[in-house]
Amino acid sequence: ASQKRSKVVGVAIKDRGASMPAGHMGDAYWFDSNTGEFMTSSYYHDKLPTWVEKFNEKKIVDSYLSQPWNTLYPIETYTASTVDDNPFEGKFSGKETPTFPYDLAELRKTNGEYGLIASTPFGNSMTLDFALAALEGEQMGMGDETDFLALSFSSPDYIGHRFGPQSKEVEDNYLRLDQDLERLLNYLDKTYGKDNYVVFLSADHAVAEIATHMVSENVPGGNLRTSAVVSELQNFIFDKYGAGKWIINSSNGQLFLNRELIREKELNQEALENEIALFLLKFDGIKDVYTGTAMRTSAFTKGRAELLQMGYNHKASGDILMILEPGWLTGGATGTSHGTGFTYDTNVPILFYGWNVSAGESSRYATITDIAPTLSMMLDIKLPNGATGQPILEITDKK
Ligand SMILES: [Zn+2]
């Protein structure tokens, strides 16, 4: 849209958090937990820009990890969370309880050294430090075209997965992230002037409740032991159709069948998929089972099946797709995981602020895929080539 005059930079601790939002033509930097420095890929650069090298020389990560992680405010004021010490939260290795304070200088030795910062709110602060260095180093927002900074805070995800949504740790993370966002907005106000920039904020997912916690509160749920289910299924197919490794892989609620073996034995893949789907439905916690064939040949227009189909990749997805009951997860007894299409994990905020955005709120259903079309309409440029959402009219029509 600007003949490449616009600068696009993605920044995150996670590689995918930086590169995916920056797109194919942007630049991306992420945290290397082996070196404690921000890195890129030769896809973007042969050599790090000077401003990145200068940032890395400071080794900011060491100063963040030399301080303890304690609560920002007195812990008794944290009323949006449950008791700090409970059996449902994941622990750091080398610490008996999932409780404040966390001695990071000590814990880094047994928790991946530099990698530990990702699981603390200081991961957000460090990411912001780097993002501000990127704005300056790349002289972003100083030219005639609109530049785009895709800043992804990865720590809420790590903290959310380990401690769950009801934890003191998550509450503290958001109180601290709020301060980081204040620092960002103050910087933008000071550097570009109010209303000379537009910010949007959203998330890739929320945090599902820890299943064991909910069960302890009489809410139905549980952890599905996928490996046990897969081995029972393997035996079922074995008994009926003979020896062989029938299931090649099981990941993210999807099973990948041995298509070669199915062909060799001259079985009908679709019929076998349906047979497996019915077999799997006998397990507690498995709510729906869809087949790859159904995903390719039907159009699902409602609920979780529609979500599943939107994420179904004809070339790469599994042959069997499972949806668990609400409250159910795959994974261990502590912490929480991904993979549910229910609102407690899919509802995330979408906030727009700044240039041409008037104050207001709406509880109308919108999705994160609406963000790119909304920005495109605001900037009066073409939609990105893979865009599937719709502009959020509450924002674009107030121009
Ligand atoms: Zn996650």
Side-chain angles (χ1 to χ4, degrees):
S2 68
Q3 296 304 318
K4 299 200 279 185
R5 288 186 295 267
S6 289
K7 284 180 181 152
V8 176
V9 178
V11 172
I13 285 182
K14 293 188 187 189
D15 43 13
R16 51 213 177 275
S19 59
M20 302 279 280
H24 293 89
M25 290 171 71
D27 264 346
Y29 302 95
W30 54 92
F31 186 65
D32 181 348
S33 59
N34 291 314
T35 61
E37 297 180 351
F38 276 83
M39 62 176 286
T40 185
S41 154
S42 55
Y43 174 85
Y44 303 102
H45 293 283
D46 292 331
K47 181 175 173 299
L48 284 174
T50 317
W51 67 265
V52 179
E53 284 179 343
K54 275 195 176 149
F55 182 92
N56 283 338
E57 277 164 22
K58 289 190 250 169
K59 267 285 165 67
I60 283 178
V61 59
D62 280 321
S63 48
Y64 280 123
L65 288 177
S66 66
Q67 58 188 319
W69 176 19
N70 214 331
T71 52
L72 181 63
Y73 303 113
I75 198 162
E76 58 276 13
T77 63
Y78 284 36
T79 52
S81 44
T82 186
V83 289
D84 196 18
D85 193 5
N86 66 68
F88 314 113
E89 297 178 6
K91 289 178 278 196
F92 283 117
S93 137
K95 186 157 162 68
E96 295 282 291
T97 54
T99 52
F100 285 104
Y102 292 98
D103 181 352
L104 301 181
E106 197 52 39
L107 286 174
R108 65 183 282 176
K109 296 175 194 162
T110 45
N111 292 272
E113 280 290 348
Y114 296 122
L116 174 62
I117 196 164
S119 299
T120 76
F122 306 124
N124 301 325
S125 308
M126 179 186 69
T127 308
L128 177 59
D129 295 338
F130 186 82
L132 298 183
L135 290 175
E136 269 180 41
E138 294 292 333
Q139 290 285 296
M140 292 178 79
M142 298 301 179
D144 293 332
E145 307 288 349
T146 303
D147 297 332
F148 184 84
L149 172 70
L151 170 56
S152 179
F153 292 109
S154 309
S155 293
D157 187 68
Y158 286 104
I159 298 169
H161 281 298
R162 181 184 294 268
F163 298 104
Q166 307 299 340
S167 61
K168 298 281 182 226
E169 287 80 359
V170 161
E171 187 169 1
D172 189 66
N173 171 65
Y174 282 109
L175 290 166
R176 289 177 184 274
L177 180 59
D178 197 48
Q179 291 194 335
D180 283 322
L181 295 177
E182 181 185 27
R183 180 155 66 98
L184 171 64
L185 296 176
N186 283 340
Y187 177 90
L188 297 177
D189 279 350
K190 201 181 84 201
T191 312
Y192 308 112
K194 261 193 200 309
D195 297 329
N196 281 329
Y197 61 88
V198 61
V199 174
F200 72 86
L201 183 151
S202 193
D204 62 338
H205 73 101
V207 187
E209 300 287 355
I210 300 174
T212 46
H213 183 201
M214 287 299 104
V215 170
S216 79
E217 301 284 358
N218 292 332
V219 178
N223 286 296
L224 185 76
R225 290 180 51 237
T226 317
S227 55
V229 171
V230 169
S231 94
E232 268 199 57
L233 173 63
Q234 167 71 30
N235 290 341
F236 165 75
I237 311 175
F238 184 104
D239 287 347
K240 204 154 173 196
Y241 298 109
K245 188 170 166 53
W246 289 97
I247 299 146
I248 297 175
N249 181 276
S250 151
S251 51
N252 296 319
Q254 299 191 20
L255 304 181
F256 295 78
L257 304 180
N258 188 340
R259 292 184 182 178
E260 215 163 289
L261 186 58
I262 293 170
R263 264 194 302 272
E264 232 169 70
K265 303 253 185 190
E266 294 182 347
L267 296 176
N268 177 312
Q269 160 122 8
E270 185 179 356
L272 182 63
E273 285 176 8
N274 281 325
E275 218 176 334
I276 291 172
L278 290 174
F279 177 83
L280 290 173
L281 285 170
K282 72 174 190 169
F283 290 94
D284 278 349
I286 297 181
K287 182 177 181 298
D288 308 314
V289 184
Y290 292 91
T291 64
T293 305
M295 284 287 135
R296 286 190 302 278
T297 54
S298 320
F300 295 97
T301 55
K302 266 200 281 194
R304 283 155 296 281
E306 184 189 16
L307 299 180
L308 207 56
Q309 191 165 48
M310 286 196 290
Y312 179 81
N313 183 313
H314 286 233
K315 292 183 177 180
S317 290
D319 301 298
I320 299 289
L321 299 91
M322 292 177 278
I323 286 180
L324 302 189
E325 298 279 1
W328 281 75
L329 290 168
T330 55
T334 61
T336 171
S337 180
H338 293 132
T340 173
F342 292 100
T343 53
Y344 52 79
D345 204 23
T346 56
N347 269 22
V348 293
I350 302 178
L351 281 77
F352 277 77
Y353 169 76
W355 178 72
N356 280 337
V357 181
S358 29
E361 54 186 82
S362 169
S363 47
R364 187 182 58 80
Y365 183 75
T367 78
I368 54 175
T369 50
D370 295 339
I371 293 173
T374 302
L375 284 173
S376 301
M377 294 301 125
M378 293 177 84
L379 295 171
D380 213 7
I381 59 174
K382 278 205 299 193
L383 272 63
N385 66 4
T388 53
Q390 296 293 321
I392 299 171
L393 300 182
E394 288 89 333
I395 295 163
T396 56
D397 286 8
K398 279 182 185 170
K399 271 173 103 165

